[in-house]
Amino acid sequence: MTTVEVVVPGAELRVTGRLDAGNDHQLREELHRAIVLGEGELVLDLAEAEIHDSTALALVAGVHHRAAREGRTLVIVDPSDRFERVVAAMRLGKVLQRRRRATSAPVSTVTAGRPPAQG
Protein backbone atom coordinates (compact mmCIF):
# COMPACT_ATOMS: atom_id res chain seq x y z
CA MET A 1 0.00 0.00 0.00
CA THR A 2 1.22 3.47 -0.86
CA THR A 3 0.64 6.42 1.41
CA VAL A 4 1.37 10.10 0.99
CA GLU A 5 1.69 11.91 4.31
CA VAL A 6 1.60 15.68 4.58
CA VAL A 7 4.33 16.27 7.18
CA VAL A 8 4.27 20.07 6.99
CA PRO A 9 1.48 21.59 4.85
CA GLY A 10 2.95 23.31 1.81
CA ALA A 11 6.48 22.32 2.78
CA GLU A 12 7.05 18.57 3.24
CA LEU A 13 5.52 15.30 2.04
CA ARG A 14 6.54 11.74 2.88
CA VAL A 15 5.83 8.80 0.57
CA THR A 16 5.83 5.21 1.81
CA GLY A 17 5.32 2.10 -0.28
CA ARG A 18 5.35 1.40 -3.98
CA LEU A 19 4.95 4.36 -6.33
CA ASP A 20 4.06 3.58 -9.94
CA ALA A 21 1.63 4.44 -12.74
CA GLY A 22 -1.24 2.82 -10.86
CA ASN A 23 -1.14 5.14 -7.88
CA ASP A 24 0.80 8.29 -8.77
CA HIS A 25 -2.37 10.44 -8.87
CA GLN A 26 -2.47 10.77 -5.07
CA LEU A 27 1.10 12.05 -4.90
CA ARG A 28 0.53 14.39 -7.85
CA GLU A 29 -2.50 15.95 -6.16
CA GLU A 30 -0.69 16.46 -2.84
CA LEU A 31 2.42 17.89 -4.50
CA HIS A 32 0.41 20.35 -6.58
CA ARG A 33 -1.51 21.40 -3.46
CA ALA A 34 1.78 21.90 -1.58
CA ILE A 35 3.23 24.01 -4.41
CA VAL A 36 0.28 26.38 -4.22
CA LEU A 37 0.12 26.54 -0.41
CA GLY A 38 3.78 27.02 0.46
CA GLU A 39 6.91 28.90 -0.50
CA GLY A 40 10.62 28.14 -0.72
CA GLU A 41 11.75 24.53 -0.54
CA LEU A 42 9.26 21.71 -1.02
CA VAL A 43 10.68 18.55 0.56
CA LEU A 44 9.69 15.15 -0.82
CA ASP A 45 10.85 12.41 1.54
CA LEU A 46 11.31 9.15 -0.37
CA ALA A 47 13.19 7.20 2.32
CA GLU A 48 10.46 4.56 2.53
CA ALA A 49 9.22 4.76 -1.06
CA GLU A 50 9.78 2.22 -3.81
CA ILE A 51 9.99 3.80 -7.27
CA HIS A 52 9.03 1.08 -9.75
CA ASP A 53 8.62 2.69 -13.14
CA SER A 54 9.45 5.71 -15.23
CA THR A 55 5.98 7.17 -14.61
CA ALA A 56 6.92 7.94 -11.02
CA LEU A 57 10.16 9.61 -12.08
CA ALA A 58 8.32 11.57 -14.78
CA LEU A 59 5.90 12.76 -12.09
CA VAL A 60 8.78 13.97 -9.93
CA ALA A 61 10.44 15.71 -12.89
CA GLY A 62 7.15 17.38 -13.86
CA VAL A 63 6.56 18.57 -10.32
CA HIS A 64 10.12 19.91 -10.22
CA HIS A 65 9.38 22.07 -13.28
CA ARG A 66 6.02 23.25 -11.95
CA ALA A 67 7.58 24.14 -8.59
CA ALA A 68 10.31 26.12 -10.36
CA ARG A 69 7.70 28.07 -12.34
CA GLU A 70 6.07 29.00 -9.02
CA GLY A 71 9.40 30.06 -7.47
CA ARG A 72 9.72 26.88 -5.40
CA THR A 73 12.51 24.32 -5.18
CA LEU A 74 11.66 20.62 -5.03
CA VAL A 75 14.16 18.76 -2.84
CA ILE A 76 14.08 14.96 -2.78
CA VAL A 77 15.24 13.57 0.54
CA ASP A 78 16.68 10.08 1.04
CA PRO A 79 15.96 8.64 -2.41
CA SER A 80 16.65 4.95 -2.90
CA ASP A 81 19.65 3.64 -4.81
CA ARG A 82 17.25 2.51 -7.53
CA PHE A 83 15.84 6.03 -7.83
CA GLU A 84 19.39 7.39 -8.10
CA ARG A 85 20.23 4.90 -10.87
CA VAL A 86 17.13 5.87 -12.85
CA VAL A 87 17.88 9.58 -12.35
CA ALA A 88 21.41 9.01 -13.65
CA ALA A 89 20.19 6.96 -16.62
CA MET A 90 17.73 9.68 -17.60
CA ARG A 91 20.39 12.37 -17.10
CA LEU A 92 18.36 14.20 -14.48
CA GLY A 93 21.12 14.24 -11.86
CA LYS A 94 21.92 17.92 -12.39
CA VAL A 95 18.26 18.91 -12.55
CA LEU A 96 16.72 17.23 -9.49
CA GLN A 97 17.99 18.35 -6.10
CA ARG A 98 18.56 15.43 -3.75
CA ARG A 99 20.00 15.12 -0.28
CA ARG A 100 20.29 12.76 2.62
CA ARG A 101 18.54 13.63 5.85
CA ALA A 102 21.03 14.06 8.67
CA THR A 103 20.69 11.30 11.21
CA SER A 104 21.95 11.68 14.70
CA ALA A 105 22.73 8.85 17.07
CA PRO A 106 22.33 9.47 20.79
CA VAL A 107 25.53 10.57 22.46
CA SER A 108 24.79 8.64 25.62
CA THR A 109 22.08 6.50 27.11
CA VAL A 110 21.05 6.93 30.73
CA THR A 111 19.64 4.04 32.69
CA ALA A 112 18.19 4.80 36.10
CA GLY A 113 20.77 4.13 38.81
CA ARG A 114 23.66 3.72 36.38
CA PRO A 115 26.15 6.15 34.89
CA PRO A 116 25.64 7.13 31.24
CA ALA A 117 26.90 4.63 28.69
CA GLN A 118 29.65 5.92 26.46
CA GLY A 119 28.48 6.14 22.84
Side-chain angles (χ1 to χ4, degrees), residues 41-118:
E41 282 191 348
L42 173 55
V43 174
L44 178 59
D45 184 338
L46 297 180
E48 297 181 35
E50 302 168 29
I51 306 297
H52 278 273
D53 62 19
S54 59
T55 303
L57 186 59
L59 165 66
V60 171
V63 168
H64 159 78
H65 290 296
R66 180 166 180 196
R69 284 193 307 270
E70 298 294 326
R72 308 279 314 266
T73 303
L74 179 66
V75 179
I76 300 159
V77 174
D78 291 337
S80 67
D81 291 339
R82 179 182 177 130
F83 182 88
E84 291 289 359
R85 285 191 301 274
V86 175
V87 164
M90 295 184 75
R91 300 179 187 246
L92 292 171
K94 292 183 179 178
V95 175
L96 298 176
Q97 286 194 30
R98 296 161 330 278
R99 69 175 166 230
R100 298 285 174 200
R101 191 174 302 276
T103 58
S104 58
V107 176
S108 65
T109 304
V110 177
T111 304
R114 295 187 180 170
Q118 298 301 313

Side-chain angles (χ1 to χ4, degrees), residues 30-48:
E30 290 297 339
L31 283 166
H32 287 192
R33 184 175 294 117
I35 289 170
V36 171
L37 292 176
E39 55 186 42
E41 282 191 348
L42 173 55
V43 174
L44 178 59
D45 184 338
L46 297 180
E48 297 181 35

